[in-house]
């Protein structure tokens, strides 16, 4: 599970996390040095005075691991741990799990009482918040002392799990946002009367829009490129996207694609630029002028989750997450995955989870051994063989590709090199998940001025 699929409705549930942690004054390792995790970090003292080293095979310990997820995901973790124990039989790992909302409540409470698990799953969206409040061990010293190979990961994959240039979690998965299209709709003359070609990766937006116009049909069978097309009676949509509601997964990367940004490196608002306004006008025109993308109300009637609209068979092309393939298959959709279109440069989004170590663990070397194995080639290959997540470690790519799923899985690995290097920071989730959807949804649908919307977003953001 990743937050973009099953946790969309719960994004606001962590509003009190920072407050609760701040009031609790939780203790632990605050981090000691400024080395980055995308290169070999410099050695530094750990919470116990030195980075844990030694022969992991000789360690005998009992440690705890905690994650969010379904029972199926818990079972998959336990299968991974069986393989871990083949190599480290003397490290016993007890697994605890919660659903998404309850998980963060539990982590907050445990941070306050200094009873955090030895190792626990961390989402990139909340890493900065918890790192600043001392709820995770700074791993840079452990990485250096134990020969962690940073070259096994794309630099941006590691960077997204950093705060203040320090590595606070080791990558687990690197689920990506790409584009999917319905192969059956393109192959059938009834649903593709204009003979539109299938889209290809890294197309220009203008080329993709030409295809979307030919794949948007009204109830009489006319395309959006035809004279007499009826935009009030669309039976098949050429393209599905919700730029405002998917600000973290679609909008921000497309701003980067056009040379714009959502926020600057100092966290100040950056969307008030000509390049950003150009992107918004392009996206608005897809709804209001070209009628190839549904407005918010129309989109909601198709699917509450825009990433699952392809499953309805009424959408030709859609943004989606790598994790959505199982839903498409369940719906009987014959689909292909490609890199998204671009304005000037190809840009994508990687949404990560990682493995953090509790700052007060009494079994630092055992905890490190587990986190390092899960993130390393052996654990990542085992994860890839399960087929539910895109592995973050490049050495697991072949194992991930080994099972033929009927579509191009390589795009999920390839897209990692185009990921925008923008880690979450405390407060950004409100901008992405609350402010932008509230202020931008209507203007994109033609109900309001886009420049005013940008100004309103900046004022609400306050930076």
């Amino acid at each position: 599970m990743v937050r973009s699929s099953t946790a969309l409705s719960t994004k606001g549930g962590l509003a009190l996390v920072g407050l609760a942690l701040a009031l609790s004054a939780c203790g632990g390792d605050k981090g000691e040095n400024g080395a980055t995790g995308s290169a070999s970090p410099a050695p530094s003292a750990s919470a116990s005075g030195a980075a844990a080293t030694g022969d992991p095979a000789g360690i005998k310990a009992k440690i705890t691991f905690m994650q969010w997820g379904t029972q199926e995901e818990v079972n998959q973790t336990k299968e991974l741990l069986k393989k871990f124990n083949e190599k480290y039989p003397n490290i016993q790992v007890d697994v605890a799990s919660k659903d998404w909302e309850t998980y963060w409540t539990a982590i907050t409470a445990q941070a306050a009482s200094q009873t955090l698990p030895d190792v626990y799953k961390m989402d990139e969206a909340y890493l900065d918040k918890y790192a600043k409040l001392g709820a995770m061990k700074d791993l840079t010293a452990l990485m250096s002392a134990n020969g962690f190979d940073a070259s096994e990961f794309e630099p941006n994959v590691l960077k997204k799990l950093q705060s203040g240039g320090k590595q606070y979690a080791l990558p687990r998965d690197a689920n990506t946002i790409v584009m999917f299209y319905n192969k059956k709709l393109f192959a059938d003359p009834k649903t593709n009367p204009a003979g539109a070609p299938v889209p290809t990766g890294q197309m220009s937006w203008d080329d993709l829009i030409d295809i979307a116009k030919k794949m948007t049909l009204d109830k009489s069978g006319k395309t959006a490129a035809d004279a007499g097309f009826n935009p009030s009676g669309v039976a098949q949509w050429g393209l599905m996207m919700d730029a405002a509601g998917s600000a973290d997964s679609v909008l921000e990367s497309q701003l980067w694609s056009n040379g714009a940004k959502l926020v600057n490196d100092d966290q100040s608002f950056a969307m008030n630029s000509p390049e950003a306004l150009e992107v918004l006008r392009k996206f608005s025109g897809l709804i209001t002028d070209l009628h190839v993308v549904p407005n918010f109300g129309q989109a909601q009637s198709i699917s509450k989750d825009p990433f699952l609209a392809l499953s309805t068979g009424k959408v030709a092309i859609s943004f989606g997450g790598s994790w959505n393939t199982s839903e498409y298959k369940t719906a009987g959709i014959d689909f292909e995955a490609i890199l998204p279109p671009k304005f000037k440069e190809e840009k994508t989004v990687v949404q990560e989870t990682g493995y953090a170590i509790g700052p007060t663990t009494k079994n630092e070397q055992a905890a490190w051994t587990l986190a390092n194995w899960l993130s390393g080639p052996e654990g990542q290959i085992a994860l890839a063989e399960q087929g539910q997540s895109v592995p973050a470690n490049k050495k697991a790519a072949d194992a991930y590709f080994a099972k033929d799923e009927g579509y191009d899985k390589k795009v999920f690995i390839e897209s990692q090199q185009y990921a925008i290097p923008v880690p979450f920071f405390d407060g950004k989730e409100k901008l992405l998940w609350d402010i932008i959807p509230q202020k931008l949804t209507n203007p994109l649908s033609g109900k309001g001025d886009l420049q005013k919307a940008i100004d309103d977003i900046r004022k609400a953001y306050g930076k």
Side-chain angles (χ1 to χ4, degrees), residues 141-197:
L142 285 167
M143 293 166 71
S144 179
N146 291 278
F148 182 83
D149 188 356
S151 69
E152 294 176 356
F153 305 88
E154 291 290 345
N156 288 341
V157 169
L158 278 172
K159 187 173 182 179
K160 286 171 75 69
L161 295 175
Q162 295 175 8
S163 177
K166 302 174 184 178
Q167 198 78 37
Y168 282 94
L170 301 184
R172 176 188 186 272
D173 49 39
N175 294 295
T176 60
I177 309 299
V178 296
M179 187 157 273
F180 297 90
Y181 66 86
N182 186 322
K183 293 163 70 174
K184 181 179 178 181
L185 294 185
F186 278 91
D188 189 342
K190 293 181 180 179
T191 51
N192 185 7

Side-chain angles (χ1 to χ4, degrees), residues 75-89 373:
N75 292 340
Q76 289 169 350
T77 295
K78 290 181 178 179
E79 288 300 315
L80 292 179
L81 293 175
K82 287 180 182 179
K83 295 190 176 184
F84 170 75
N85 282 136
E86 291 175 3
K87 185 169 185 178
Y88 302 106
W373 185 89

